[in-house]
Amino acid sequence: MTNSAISNDKVLNTKVMGHRGAALLAPENTLASIRAAAEAGATWVEIDVYLIAEGGLVIFHDDTLERCTNGFGVTREATPNDVAKLDAGSAFSSQFAGESVPTLLEALECIQFLGLGLNLEIKHDGADVENIVPTVMAMLRDHWQDNDKLIISSFNHNAMLLCYEIGDDRHLAQLYEAIPSDWQVQLEAIQAYSLNCDYSLLTETHARAIKAAGYKLLCYTVNDPESVTEYWDWGMDTVITDDPTKFAFLLAP
Ligand code: G3P
Ligand code: MG
């Protein structure tokens, strides 16, 4: 496999990516949030995929249901039938009452219908890497059309290694909070397309080294353009933001 980090420059054609859809504009990780990102002019969204009971895949961030829905308990233990009944909108605002937790398939269909690119972040219960990664990859194989509009990311390096082993020539992103000393070894091991990191922990030295090594550099979660003014000079390619309207000056009209 070639190093897609160096060979493929047409994938990430935007400086602005919506986070969890557009988490400040609509309930995070819902179809309403994905639509809000598109309406704000974003052409890419990041969402989180989570494995639940019975092999179900849903768009959800947390290990428990309470914060974002009217349900309670451990997300991993909820069945698809349980999750389908949840209200994921009211916790954000009554305007979104009845908004559901999307399945991965629903989200893939919505995102492609809107013509957006997708950064799909794989979340998982600690023991679930071997269970979620092949299931997600199979779903993408069957239901995602344009490989140049897809990045797969995870904080878990073993999950990314498994994505790489499964192949499908996907664009892979290693996610970090603070960047570890062996980041280059980890990125080479998965022939990464990008390094995605917490902007507040990023140094200029790291940013310039990542770019010199040929990788795209994405930073989360940036909600104030002024907080990353100098990062563009360091080579940052894209911000992942809860509110793409704040970055309208970087989006095409
Ligand atoms: O993918 C970037 C960002 O979403 C990672 O953190 O916790 O918001 O999923 P989190
Ligand atoms: Mg995420």
Side-chain angles (χ1 to χ4, degrees):
M1 193 181 290
T2 56
N3 186 341
S4 55
I6 291 161
S7 65
N8 194 340
D9 202 36
K10 68 180 176 179
V11 176
L12 196 67
N13 54 3
T14 184
K15 291 178 158 48
V16 184
M17 180 180 284
H19 181 235
R20 307 183 193 173
L24 273 173
L25 305 180
E28 67 179 58
N29 281 322
T30 64
L31 298 187
S33 191
I34 293 164
R35 288 189 204 104
E39 281 161 21
T43 55
W44 276 74
V45 286
E46 184 266 3
I47 55 173
D48 304 297
V49 62
Y50 207 108
L51 182 71
I52 56 171
E54 300 171 5
L57 290 170
V58 294
I59 306 306
F60 205 73
H61 180 274
D62 291 4
D63 295 333
T64 56
L65 297 168
E66 286 82 352
R67 182 179 63 89
C68 293
T69 76
N70 61 341
F72 58 89
V74 175
T75 307
R76 180 65 180 86
E77 293 170 0
T79 66
N81 197 32
D82 295 333
V83 172
K85 292 180 192 148
L86 297 176
D87 177 347
S90 295
F92 182 87
S93 133
S94 57
Q95 182 196 340
F96 293 98
E99 188 70 31
S100 61
V101 175
T103 63
L104 175 60
L105 179 55
E106 288 168 340
L108 296 180
E109 288 174 346
C110 174
I111 290 164
Q112 289 177 106
F113 178 78
L114 294 168
L116 304 176
L118 168 62
N119 172 4
L120 185 64
E121 184 190 340
I122 297 176
K123 295 285 188 202
H124 58 87
D125 187 274
D128 249 345
V129 169
E130 280 82 11
N131 294 322
I132 187 169
V133 171
T135 317
V136 168
M137 296 296 269
M139 182 68 81
L140 290 169
R141 206 172 300 134
D142 290 344
H143 298 284
W144 187 265
Q145 312 299 326
D146 186 349
N147 197 34
D148 285 342
K149 285 188 165 183
L150 178 68
I151 295 171
I152 303 171
S153 57
S154 180
F155 284 106
N156 187 293
H157 186 56
N158 288 331
M160 295 317 302
L161 282 170
L162 194 47
C163 287
Y164 180 65
E165 282 163 21
I166 289 171
D168 296 348
D169 211 17
R170 298 302 189 188
H171 301 99
L172 304 181
Q174 184 63 53
L175 254 171
Y176 297 116
E177 290 173 340
I179 297 172
S181 57
D182 63 344
W183 66 269
Q184 217 151 351
V185 174
Q186 292 197 3
L187 266 66
E188 279 168 22
I190 61 168
Q191 292 287 291
Y193 175 73
S194 70
L195 185 152
N196 301 2
C197 66
D198 181 339
Y199 84 95
S200 68
L201 302 173
L202 180 66
T203 63
E204 178 174 0
T205 305
H206 264 137
R208 292 195 184 277
I210 292 157
K211 293 308 298 175
Y215 301 106
K216 296 287 185 188
L217 175 59
L218 285 71
C219 290
Y220 69 88
T221 304
V222 187
N223 292 334
D224 177 3
E226 289 186 11
S227 61
V228 291
T229 306
E230 70 271 34
Y231 287 47
W232 301 110
D233 291 335
W234 302 352
M236 178 179 69
D237 293 285
T238 298
V239 291
I240 304 175
T241 178
D242 291 321
D243 185 357
T245 65
K246 295 266 174 55
F247 293 88
F249 63 99
L250 295 174
L251 290 163

